[in-house]
Amino acid sequence: MVRGAPVGWRRVWGTALTTTLCYLLGVLTRHLQWGAWAFFGGFASFYVAGQPYRRRARVLAAVVPALAAAMLLGGLGRAWWVTGPILGAVSAAATYLAGRCRIPLPSGLMFILVACLSAAEPPGHLAARVVFVLVGGAIAWLVGMSGWPLRPRAPEAAAVRDAYRAVAASFGSGSDGRAPHHAMEAVAAAVDATTWGSRRDAAGSGRLRALARGAGGILLAGVGLIAETGAPLPAAVRRSVAAMGRLAWPGKDRAPAADEAAAALGPLARTRAGAHFVEVAAKAARAGSASPEAASEASREAVPGAVPAPVPAPVPAPVPAPDILASVLGPSPLLPFSTLRIGIAVAASVAVAGLLGMSHIYWVPLTCATVLQGETVLVLTRRAIQRVVGTVAGLLLAGALLAVLHMPPAAALAVVVVLQALMLMVIAKNYALAVAFVTAFAFMILSVISPAPAGPLVLARLRDTLLGVAVALAATYLLWPRVSSRRLPAALATLIARGGDLLTDLMAGVPGAWARQAPLVTAIRRAEAVAQDARAEVPPPRTVEALMPGVAAAERLGYLLLAAQACGVSLNGHDGTARRARAITDAAARQAGAGRPPEADLPVPDTWPPVERELRALTRL
């Protein structure tokens, strides 16, 4: 299927411009190889994906030396028993660092591609190759930062706009417990982006930070309101919330959400959650169009949890929103396993190719690494099929261009620019189409670096592709294929326990209940990631399906507790009922940790009706 994902045109033209400038370097100096080597450094442009400019400068400054290191390491080994460990180490390091630092797609693949292409080049000129990679990386850095003088806050504003759109979309899903996940991720990304605001414009950065925090408050208020009504919010409310994202852009000083939301909610605004929803939307809207000082004050009022629950003891200041929401961001729980899998598989693919006597083995590990750009068995299996289809199409396309059109090297490099732009346009829509264009431009680059007849080369690359896919599939089904399902019971038990912590503290009126927010958000995010990965195992284990209702109920309960705390909804608790709630969640966590559906044969205490409902769903009462 071809997904309706948007095309990142800024990324497309930036990468195309970088590639063109790198190749012009080779054309003007009459050394096309120099342009091709600079093109490898230009791969840094793939990692420009809407980051704030301060963060983008640091990401690119780290990516460029890493690409140069990949070029150096890939060119060191000539015998397969040396190349195998080198490419395996490069693959593992690139995968881990990309995942750990949340480097956007294509993550670590470009570093692996550079190392494999370096291994394919004839010996010699290694120092010159590294130098030109750095030159191409410098060009990519300049192109990636070119918008900063004119619109220094554009990336942060786009992140805030996307956060409000995601929040509005989540309000159309009723009481579905998983609906807030995408919105929470988008809000967390906006909060994270606005912490990197431009120092040139402190006022604008303050407004954006206030709006980002306000989106989190609106999200939790909406979750509470949906829980009280059991129905999606009116379409007019969703439109007004999405419209608030326009306040992120300069000159949009209108506050459209507050009045429109109040009018659309009507009778619902009389409830505690409804009143808080209107209040937090109004404060966020004022923050978006206020002075820096007023925006800072409004942002503190608009953070999740800024309306204290009515408890007998004084409530201390809430945890700052960046600390709460930033806990959603972070590396995948499966990152260590995917790192080891790709490192072992790439090294093994080189060994297999070497033992079979293949003279040019670089395409086998490249194919293997491309297939293993994922974590779950289902995703990797689909990638293997798509890789074969895309590679066949890409090789046929490149072979036809070279053999039929008889293009000179300079024209071939110009076609590479077009193929690369097409790859970026379709990579989020269909992986097989993207692989076809990646294969075609990699093949054409190699034809410029090492000229050879197109026909035999196409057949050899097809053989190498099938071997690389076979090794990747073997690694997928042999190396930790059940890691997610084995980790799911512990993740669910942790989520139930963290929810029990916050529930107990809110019911007992413990002043330190605010500190329970960040651990609960982290547990929700981790349980959701592990659950989705476990469902993608082939075949799915029976224990996973048995635990899924508990995962959904625990996530819904977690979001309800966060919403109740933010909206100031009383949970009608005291020490006795708090102990009963603690006993229920402890029993359910023990059952989940043992790999059984969570159960607790205990009476559910009287509290907020939505919380009672989810406690019964969680414990199957």
Side-chain angles (χ1 to χ4, degrees), residues 74-102:
L76 291 178
R78 289 299 153 193
W80 65 262
W81 57 84
V82 178
T83 302
I86 289 177
L87 294 183
V90 170
S91 301
T95 301
Y96 180 79
L97 293 176
R100 187 72 184 176
C101 301
R102 305 197 307 274

Side-chain angles (χ1 to χ4, degrees), residues 485-511:
S485 56
R486 289 196 296 268
R487 292 164 65 94
L488 182 59
L492 176 55
T494 301
L495 171 56
I496 296 172
R498 298 292 81 78
D501 292 341
L502 182 55
L503 173 62
T504 304
D505 286 357
L506 290 177
M507 295 184 70
V510 175

Side-chain angles (χ1 to χ4, degrees), residues 85-367:
I86 289 177
L87 294 183
V90 170
S91 301
T95 301
Y96 180 79
L97 293 176
R100 187 72 184 176
C101 301
R102 305 197 307 274
I103 294 179
L105 290 174
S107 290
L109 181 59
M110 290 297 107
F111 305 99
I112 303 170
L113 175 61
V114 169
C116 290
L117 293 179
S118 180
E121 291 210 36
H125 307 292
L126 186 56
R129 281 189 262 162
V130 172
V131 170
F132 280 103
V133 167
L134 293 174
V135 171
I139 294 173
W141 193 95
L142 292 173
V143 172
M145 297 297 296
S146 60
W148 175 70
L150 299 176
R151 302 180 70 188
R153 292 185 284 114
E156 298 97 297
V160 172
R161 176 202 60 199
D162 293 343
Y164 277 92
R165 289 178 177 176
V167 170
S170 72
F171 292 158
S173 303
S175 57
D176 180 9
R178 289 192 166 90
H181 279 302
H182 175 68
M184 183 67 82
E185 294 282 351
V187 172
V191 171
D192 181 61
T194 54
T195 61
W196 293 82
S198 171
R199 292 178 177 174
R200 291 179 53 192
D201 188 359
S205 298
R207 289 177 63 253
L208 293 173
R209 280 192 294 270
L211 278 168
R213 297 182 183 189
I218 293 172
L219 173 63
L220 293 185
V223 170
L225 184 53
I226 291 172
E228 288 186 340
T229 63
L233 296 188
V237 174
R238 301 198 297 270
R239 286 195 300 269
S240 64
V241 172
M244 281 191 65
R246 296 200 299 264
L247 294 173
W249 301 97
K252 301 293 184 179
D253 295 326
R254 198 166 59 91
D259 296 336
E260 293 179 18
L265 286 173
L268 299 180
R270 300 192 187 104
T271 66
R272 185 67 184 89
H276 179 61
F277 184 94
V278 175
E279 179 184 8
V280 75
K283 289 176 179 177
R286 289 198 302 271
S289 57
S291 64
E293 296 77 10
S296 177
E297 180 64 27
S299 70
R300 287 193 292 271
E301 297 176 357
V303 299
V307 177
V311 295
V315 178
V319 179
D323 295 340
I324 298 169
L325 297 175
S327 62
V328 180
L329 302 174
S332 166
L334 300 183
L335 179 60
F337 302 98
S338 58
T339 297
L340 291 173
R341 182 190 292 124
I342 195 171
I344 294 171
V346 168
S349 68
V350 176
V352 171
L355 292 173
L356 291 177
M358 296 182 177
S359 56
H360 300 287
I361 59 175
Y362 58 88
W363 202 269
V364 178
L366 177 58
T367 299

